[in-house]
């Protein structure tokens, strides 16, 4: 095999690898946060979309947001209501952190995970690579 043939094959493989990376990052996207303020309350109007996308229980996500904002929160139909005025960017950044800690596989970065409980310890099990890692906290 000549050097030119080798470089041509190498270029072809690099192109395929970069295409697959683009596909995996665009496959998982959080919906845009829809916020409405009324008095001293913040209504997270599209809250019900997030548990479906993240494949987690709505109560756990609401509990996490409530703790991080240090404010009470409750369900109101498919909305979540928080005491105090919160900006959409705050919700977006907290949900991004939640995804990194409780949804994304630490080994392969895949969002295709599930939570298993074994002997009072929660584990994050990746459905893509099969990795199993323990979770810190109670919000998974």
């Amino acid at each position: 095999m000549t050097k030119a043939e080798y470089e041509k094959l190498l270029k072809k493989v690099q192109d395929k690898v970069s295409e697959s990376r683009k596909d995996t990052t665009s496959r998982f996207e959080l919906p845009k946060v829809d916020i409405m303020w009324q008095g001293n309350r913040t209504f997270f109007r599209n809250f019900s979309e997030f548990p479906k996308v993240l494949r987690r229980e709505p109560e756990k996500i609401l509990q996490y947001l409530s703790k991080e904002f240090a404010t009470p929160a409750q369900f109101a139909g498919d909305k979540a209501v928080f005491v105090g005025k919160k900006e959409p960017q705050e919700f977006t950044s907290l949900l991004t952190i939640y995804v990194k800690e409780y949804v994304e596989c630490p080994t392969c970065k895949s969002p295709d995970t599930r939570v298993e409980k074994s002997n009072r310890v929660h584990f994050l099990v990746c459905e893509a690579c099969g990795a199993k890692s323990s979770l810190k906290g109670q919000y998974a």
Side-chain angles (χ1 to χ4, degrees), residues 35-120:
I35 299 296
M36 178 181 81
W37 297 282
Q38 189 175 41
N40 194 27
R41 293 178 185 249
T42 302
F43 290 85
F44 190 167
R45 296 196 298 191
N46 63 338
F47 177 79
S48 62
E49 294 176 26
F50 288 86
K52 292 175 189 169
V53 170
L54 299 176
R55 295 172 47 202
R56 297 294 184 264
E57 294 180 25
E59 295 83 15
K60 295 291 186 179
I61 297 173
L62 186 68
Q63 185 182 16
Y64 173 79
L65 291 172
S66 177
K67 179 203 153 255
E68 290 298 318
F69 282 135
T71 184
Q74 62 186 5
F75 290 110
D78 60 343
K79 302 179 193 100
V81 182
F82 294 84
V83 175
K85 289 192 175 184
K86 311 289 181 221
E87 294 295 322
Q89 298 86 354
E90 294 176 281
F91 284 99
T92 304
S93 67
L94 283 178
L95 288 167
T96 303
I97 292 168
Y98 182 85
V99 166
K100 288 190 187 320
E101 290 183 10
Y102 298 104
V103 178
E104 236 178 41
C105 173
T107 305
C108 70
K109 306 297 182 207
S110 170
D112 299 325
T113 58
R114 68 179 186 279
V115 176
E116 289 182 0
K117 187 175 180 181
S118 176
N119 296 334
R120 296 185 300 171

Side-chain angles (χ1 to χ4, degrees), residues 11-26:
K11 175 75 173 140
K12 190 175 179 181
V13 168
Q14 287 174 338
D15 290 343
K16 290 216 181 250
V17 168
S18 65
E19 284 176 20
S20 67
R21 282 188 184 159
K22 290 176 189 172
D23 293 343
T24 56
T25 57
S26 65

